[in-house]
Amino acid sequence: MKAAPPTPPRLAAALLRLCLHEVDAGVVLGDLEETYHLLHRHYGPATARRWYWKQTLRSIPLLATRTFYWSLVMLTNYVRIALRHFKKQKGYAFINIVGLAVGLAFCALIFLFVRDELTFDQFHEHNEQIYRVLSGRFNPDGSELSSNSNHPVPLGPALHADLPDVEAFVRFKQLSHFVRSTGEAIEESILYADPQLFEVFSFPLRQGNPTTALGDRHAVVLSERAAQKYFGDENPLGQTLQIRLDKTYEDFIVRGIAQNVPGNSTIQFDILVPFSNVFTAYARFPSIRESWSFVSIQTYVKLARQASLDEVQAKLPALFAQYYPDAVAQEEEAADQGILTYRLQPLTDIHLTSNSNPIYSYILSGIALAILFIACINFMTLAIGRSARRSKEIGIRKVVGAQRRQLMGQFWGEAMLMSVLSLLLGLLLAELFLPVFNTLSGKTLRFDYARDWITGTMLVGLVLFTGLAAGSYPALLLSGFKPLDTLTNRLKLSGSNIFTKSLVVVQFALSVFLLTSTLIMTHQFDYARTKNPGFNKEQIVIIPTQDLDGHQVSTRFREMLQQHTRIEAITATNNTLGNTYTMGTRYKHEGKTHTINVYKVETNFLHLFGLDLIQGRNFNPNLSTDSARSVIVNEALVRDYDMTDPIGQPVPGYSDSPDTDPVIIGVVKDFHFQSLYKEIGPMMLTMDPEWDYEYLLVRIKPTDIPATLALLRTTWQTLAPDVPFEYRFLSDHMQQQYQTDQRWGRMVRYASLFAILIACLGLFGLAALTVTGRTKEIGIRKVLGAPVLGLTVLLSKDFVKLVVIGVVVATPVAYLVMQRWLDDFAYRVEISWWIFLMAGLAALGIALATVSAQTIRAALGDPVKALRYE
């Protein structure tokens, strides 16, 4: 076989020129083809094929190098041109970058919030096997009619014993107790839990053995936060912590330090004690250990991995009937009553169905996308407006050989560069706004760029989406211009075309929708906060007394306070007014279910709150029957029983025997003893001695309140020196019910302001472009005597029309959406016309002020300079 010839000189030279990027790849491939035929004629097909593939493979790296080189050159050229335009038009670049940065920052913050909401409890290793037990009425398809998550103490062991698929159970009870190590006692929230807690849930221990940490009745597990609070830098293991159970401090030994519980956990704790201590805390109720009527415990179960949820659920009605045979026997068979049974609720569903309203997550997501969309519209409108000034540049580029795909790459490259710059600024803004956002949302969110790949993917996705979306219209439209049209000024595109106008209308429609929704939400929240509850809530101090050592101490405390002139009135009750939830009694009578909220009160309860007694009389402490059977009810209870003359009538079915049913001696006018989220339901005031007083309510004079509070504290410490004095004002307590909604209202309000700000930024830039395009017209009109006001109106009226159209489009949409949102409130405001008028005038005023900043300056300009403008 003949040896392969040396590389032909022509081919070698072509490869060298290719490496130096002086020729097109097609020339080299042509030389390869020619050499192949030459070799085929002189050396045969086998040698030719070997030679051809050898040279082809040798050319691949050179081709790749050339492609990378020219791509880098082209990218550098795009960046250089983009930076040149940004420098030349600083104002427009600032508007686009800041607008996109604010939109991206808001999207990033809302993404953190929504992701936190949707991933609640998913950090537990066995989250798919863990369920919370519910009891109530359910339809045959499993949908809920009514439910309750509180259960008796023996339920957990019964489920574990009767259902083989239940691997483990954990019972929880949250109570407040005073805690101390060496200093003054502090009231803390204590979580009681079964020892198998750490086997079922994934709460890592930094120190201690998870198997035995809660094995001893006097063991306690602290979070890292609590350990630092009570023991500082000392090793907390083995240290003693005193907790006041049933009016007596007991020693607890620290057996474990748990990692701080994540914010997106339904189960929260800083101090954890074994569940067996519940029986000490409820020592006055010795029967709770075996009782099936004392429902105050939350129960969670862990099913076996291979267990079928449907099969387990199918066994629950029989289990419920086993322990509540009387309740099941009294149930009606009507389909609309549902089935009275237990139900298992997946752990990951608890937060969005019980503790949070997912609608707000959707609302915030929509607002964030709307703000980002408004920012993208800004980019489009300004790019279209600037297109007339770049038309000659596009024409010249096409004349010298630029292809459309290269022009598209340039425009998209500029958009992507601006998007990246906006992202960097947006991340900085998001980090700066994060503490404020955490305060508004009530969370402890943070960015974790290293480990949180989902957040990183989201940010990259936002950059790509924003760059492609914001640069799409300029890239597709401007690249298609004909060179002849651009070079002969036959192109008419100055920011006033129909598409641009439509974008401005959409922009302000979204802004007006957010502004209107904010006004309506604020109006509703203010209504709930300021509506008269039907009683006098001012200057009433709530003092918990359940931690005092005995009834005599409480009585002595009251006697000492009544001697001071700063105290107007004192009463005692088992619960405070204005709570979202109160202790209610539910029973059936003549086929109808009644739920009555019961308050144990004293004779001066009506006087202290200023309640209106419209029928009958008040309690008389000299009548023994008033303490035994007499009750005062509200109008809602009278309506619930269809009573015409309630005075002297019993409340039928309330007790086991008609002879012991309470008798109505008075009727008070309806008042909001719960929050305004609930309609006023039946309620009953009683002096039944079997109920305990747990709070003192003290009405104080409005003058020198700090001195009065000091008096209360001093008197308390004299009688109960080992129990810290705790108090709160009833008015503040009632406002806490609406904190969540007020927080949402502030978040939506800020979002609306951001939307208006970004929209006005775009309108400002578009107005500047419009004024620039009509510079000569303005000069001519001024020379002919046009007044400044007339020129301002001429230049502003087109933008005013667009804003008015946006208001008209947004008004009916906002009305329908807000009407749907208000349906969730039992007591709500009416949507008034003045809200839409106010939102429209506000948007119009802001837009007019934005445009006027440009139009007035143009109208006041020198006409000579305007006529010289090129």
Side-chain angles (χ1 to χ4, degrees):
M1 178 182 292
K2 297 181 180 179
T7 304
R10 183 177 175 185
L11 178 59
L15 291 174
L16 177 62
R17 294 197 306 272
L18 175 63
C19 185
L20 295 177
H21 317 292
E22 294 179 357
V23 297
D24 189 84
V27 176
V28 177
L29 295 177
D31 288 344
L32 286 174
E33 191 70 22
E34 181 180 346
T35 304
Y36 170 78
H37 291 296
L38 179 65
L39 294 173
H40 189 276
R41 285 197 307 269
H42 292 84
Y43 298 97
T47 301
R49 282 195 298 271
R50 285 197 305 271
W51 182 257
Y52 179 81
W53 287 113
K54 181 179 180 180
Q55 298 303 330
T56 300
L57 294 174
R58 183 181 298 175
S59 302
I60 289 176
L62 299 176
L63 290 171
T65 302
R66 178 186 182 279
T67 302
F68 174 77
Y69 174 83
W70 283 111
S71 298
L72 186 61
V73 169
M74 187 176 298
L75 180 61
T76 304
N77 186 50
Y78 289 162
V79 171
R80 186 183 299 114
I81 295 173
L83 293 177
R84 187 183 302 142
H85 282 291
F86 294 166
K87 184 178 179 180
K88 185 178 180 181
Q89 299 176 344
K90 300 183 183 67
Y92 305 123
F94 173 81
I95 291 173
N96 276 330
I97 291 175
V98 171
L100 284 175
V102 173
L104 288 168
F106 202 82
C107 276
L109 292 174
I110 296 303
F111 175 82
L112 280 182
F113 176 87
V114 174
R115 181 166 178 253
D116 184 79
E117 287 284 291
L118 298 181
T119 58
F120 246 76
D121 297 311
Q122 292 185 8
F123 64 90
H124 294 290
E125 181 182 356
H126 305 293
N127 67 80
E128 296 180 353
Q129 300 170 248
I130 303 173
Y131 299 84
R132 183 174 70 170
V133 183
L134 298 178
S135 61
R137 296 179 182 275
F138 300 89
N139 289 319
D141 62 358
S143 58
E144 177 183 316
L145 294 173
S146 63
S147 66
N148 181 23
S149 61
N150 289 326
H151 298 99
V153 170
L155 176 62
L159 291 172
H160 186 244
D162 296 345
L163 300 177
D165 289 324
V166 175
E167 283 188 350
F169 67 91
V170 180
R171 295 166 295 182
F172 293 106
K173 180 61 182 178
Q174 197 101 27
L175 291 174
S176 294
H177 295 291
F178 289 108
V179 180
R180 66 188 182 189
S181 55
T182 56
E184 183 179 354
I186 303 173
E187 187 174 18
E188 298 275 17
S189 179
I190 308 293
L191 182 64
Y192 296 80
D194 284 303
Q196 57 269 26
L197 165 72
F198 297 108
E199 299 176 14
V200 176
F201 295 92
S202 300
F203 294 119
L205 287 186
R206 296 296 192 188
Q207 294 179 263
N209 187 335
T211 305
T212 60
L214 293 176
D216 180 10
R217 176 184 172 275
H218 286 92
V220 62
V221 174
L222 304 180
S223 68
E224 295 173 302
R225 182 168 44 246
Q228 179 67 29
K229 178 179 179 180
Y230 284 100
F231 301 105
D233 296 331
E234 297 182 30
N235 184 6
L237 282 186
Q239 300 275 14
T240 300
L241 199 68
Q242 290 187 321
I243 302 176
R244 196 170 192 270
L245 301 178
D246 192 32
K247 303 179 177 60
T248 303
Y249 282 100
E250 296 190 21
D251 290 340
F252 286 81
I253 308 301
V254 179
R255 299 299 186 191
I257 304 300
Q259 179 179 315
N260 289 332
V261 179
N264 60 344
S265 173
T266 299
I267 301 166
Q268 294 285 333
F269 66 87
D270 277 323
I271 301 178
L272 194 64
V273 298
F275 185 80
S276 57
N277 289 283
V278 166
F279 308 124
T280 304
Y282 282 103
R284 62 186 185 277
F285 302 115
S287 63
I288 68 167
R289 188 185 298 268
E290 305 296 336
S291 173
W292 284 85
S293 60
F294 186 91
V295 288
S296 182
I297 308 300
Q298 293 216 344
T299 303
Y300 289 74
V301 296
K302 177 187 175 185
L303 300 185
R305 185 171 297 277
Q306 71 279 5
S308 168
L309 177 61
D310 292 337
E311 293 180 1
V312 175
Q313 303 259 56
K315 301 175 183 178
L316 294 179
L319 185 70
F320 186 90
Q322 177 182 347
Y323 295 104
Y324 292 99
D326 295 338
V328 174
Q330 295 176 5
E331 290 302 303
E332 295 182 356
E333 297 297 329
D336 59 351
Q337 293 291 320
I339 302 172
L340 191 60
T341 183
Y342 290 122
R343 203 77 184 166
L344 299 184
Q345 181 184 30
L347 175 65
T348 52
D349 291 350
I350 295 175
H351 178 70
L352 291 179
T353 57
S354 304
N355 304 330
S356 179
N357 191 346
I359 189 65
Y360 287 117
S361 296
Y362 303 142
I363 290 175
L364 284 179
S365 299
I367 290 174
L369 293 177
I371 290 177
L372 185 60
F373 185 55
I374 290 173
C376 291
I377 288 177
N378 276 353
F379 188 96
M380 289 186 182
T381 53
L382 293 180
I384 296 170
R386 298 200 317 271
S387 61
R389 305 180 66 178
R390 299 187 65 178
S391 59
K392 286 187 172 60
E393 172 196 344
I394 297 168
I396 293 174
R397 285 179 178 274
K398 283 202 166 187
V399 167
V400 297
Q403 300 178 6
R404 183 177 184 183
R405 60 180 177 81
Q406 294 174 317
L407 293 174
M408 293 173 65
Q410 176 182 328
F411 287 118
W412 260 315
E414 292 179 9
M416 291 301 298
L417 177 61
M418 189 169 293
S419 182
V420 171
L421 294 176
S422 299
L423 175 63
L424 297 177
L425 179 58
L427 289 177
L428 177 61
L429 292 175
E431 292 286 0
L432 292 176
F433 292 154
L434 188 57
V436 178
F437 185 78
N438 280 335
T439 301
L440 289 175
S441 62
K443 293 181 177 291
T444 55
L445 306 173
R446 66 185 182 89
F447 290 101
D448 189 351
Y449 305 104
R451 293 182 297 177
D452 191 355
W453 64 270
I454 296 181
T455 301
T457 303
M458 183 275 301
L459 293 174
V460 173
L462 280 179
V463 169
L464 293 176
F465 168 78
T466 304
L468 293 176
S472 59
Y473 191 83
L476 297 175
L477 177 68
L478 303 185
S479 63
F481 291 160
K482 296 180 180 179
L484 185 62
D485 292 337
T486 61
L487 296 176
T488 58
N489 289 325
R490 289 191 293 179
L491 179 67
K492 302 297 181 184
L493 186 61
S494 59
S496 60
N497 57 74
I498 294 178
F499 183 76
T500 306
K501 292 179 179 179
S502 301
L503 292 178
V504 174
V505 169
V506 172
Q507 204 173 33
F508 271 89
L510 288 172
S511 301
V512 172
F513 170 80
L514 291 176
L515 185 58
T516 305
S517 302
T518 299
L519 290 175
I520 294 174
M521 293 175 72
T522 301
H523 188 33
Q524 172 62 32
F525 296 150
D526 289 342
Y527 172 79
R529 181 174 53 86
T530 60
K531 185 180 185 298
N532 184 4
F535 58 88
N536 187 358
K537 63 181 180 180
E538 302 301 328
Q539 278 78 53
I540 295 181
V541 181
I542 305 172
I543 304 176
T545 58
Q546 58 265 39
D547 287 301
L548 290 179
D549 293 324
H551 178 69
Q552 293 181 351
V553 176
S554 177
T555 302
R556 179 59 180 156
F557 178 67
R558 298 178 58 181
E559 292 174 351
M560 294 177 65
L561 290 180
Q562 288 171 343
Q563 300 173 6
H564 297 278
T565 57
R566 290 193 179 100
I567 308 299
E568 292 188 350
I570 304 177
T571 192
T573 179
N574 69 318
N575 203 349
T576 58
L577 299 183
N579 282 339
T580 302
Y581 300 100
T582 59
M583 184 175 292
T585 301
R586 183 179 181 182
Y587 60 92
K588 298 188 68 173
H589 176 68
E590 295 182 352
K592 182 178 179 180
T593 301
H594 302 271
T595 301
I596 301 178
N597 296 276
V598 183
Y599 288 80
K600 179 178 180 179
V601 300
E602 294 183 324
T603 55
N604 61 340
F605 185 86
L606 301 185
H607 169 71
L608 183 136
F609 283 103
L611 298 178
D612 188 6
L613 187 67
I614 59 177
Q615 284 184 265
R617 63 175 177 85
N618 195 4
F619 292 110
N620 186 342
N622 298 320
L623 295 178
S624 59
T625 54
D626 279 9
S627 297
R629 293 187 59 188
S630 298
V631 295
I632 297 175
V633 301
N634 65 347
E635 295 174 292
L637 186 141
V638 175
R639 291 192 300 270
D640 196 44
Y641 277 95
D642 297 324
M643 294 181 178
T644 56
D645 185 14
I647 303 302
Q649 298 293 322
V651 181
Y654 182 80
S655 58
D656 296 333
S657 171
D659 296 334
T660 58
D661 283 337
V663 178
I664 300 174
I665 62 170
V667 179
V668 296
K669 186 177 180 179
D670 281 340
F671 62 95
H672 293 280
F673 58 92
Q674 294 178 309
S675 73
L676 267 70
Y677 293 117
K678 294 188 175 183
E679 294 186 10
I680 298 176
M683 66 95 61
M684 185 169 67
L685 306 178
T686 180
M687 295 179 64
D688 191 337
E690 293 186 2
W691 294 64
D692 291 331
Y693 293 119
E694 297 187 4
Y695 299 94
L696 280 182
L697 305 176
V698 183
R699 179 178 293 282
I700 63 176
K701 290 185 176 180
T703 56
D704 202 2
I705 293 178
T708 306
L709 294 177
L711 170 65
L712 296 175
R713 183 183 300 275
T714 302
T715 307
W716 179 280
Q717 291 174 345
T718 301
L719 297 174
D722 62 337
V723 180
F725 175 71
E726 301 287 339
Y727 75 93
R728 62 183 183 273
F729 282 93
L730 177 62
S731 55
D732 295 337
H733 170 70
M734 295 180 65
Q735 289 304 315
Q736 290 178 355
Q737 303 173 87
Y738 310 108
Q739 282 185 348
T740 300
D741 284 335
Q742 290 173 357
R743 186 164 60 239
W744 285 113
R746 287 194 297 269
M747 293 175 69
V748 175
R749 186 158 56 246
Y750 287 136
S752 301
L753 291 177
F754 281 136
I756 291 289
L757 172 64
I758 297 173
C760 288
L761 280 175
L763 194 62
F764 180 86
L766 196 59
L769 288 172
T770 302
V771 169
T772 302
R774 301 177 69 176
T775 301
K776 287 190 176 181
E777 176 190 350
I778 295 171
I780 294 172
R781 287 181 180 274
K782 290 199 69 175
V783 169
L784 295 177
V788 173
L789 179 61
L791 287 174
T792 302
V793 172
L794 175 68
L795 295 172
S796 303
K797 65 179 182 180
D798 289 339
F799 294 105
V800 171
K801 290 178 182 178
L802 298 180
V803 176
V804 170
I805 295 174
V807 172
V808 172
V809 171
T811 297
V813 178
Y815 177 83
L816 294 175
V817 173
M818 286 294 99
Q819 193 77 19
R820 180 76 175 272
W821 177 73
L822 287 171
D823 289 340
D824 292 335
F825 292 86
Y827 300 92
R828 40 170 288 183
V829 298
E830 295 296 329
I831 301 180
S832 303
W833 60 270
W834 61 265
I835 294 179
F836 298 99
L837 179 62
M838 182 183 296
L841 291 177
L844 186 61
I846 295 172
L848 192 58
T850 303
V851 174
S852 298
Q854 290 289 343
T855 57
I856 293 176
R857 186 176 66 176
L860 293 174
D862 187 352
V864 176
K865 292 182 179 180
L867 293 175
R868 288 178 178 175
Y869 170 78
E870 190 62 32

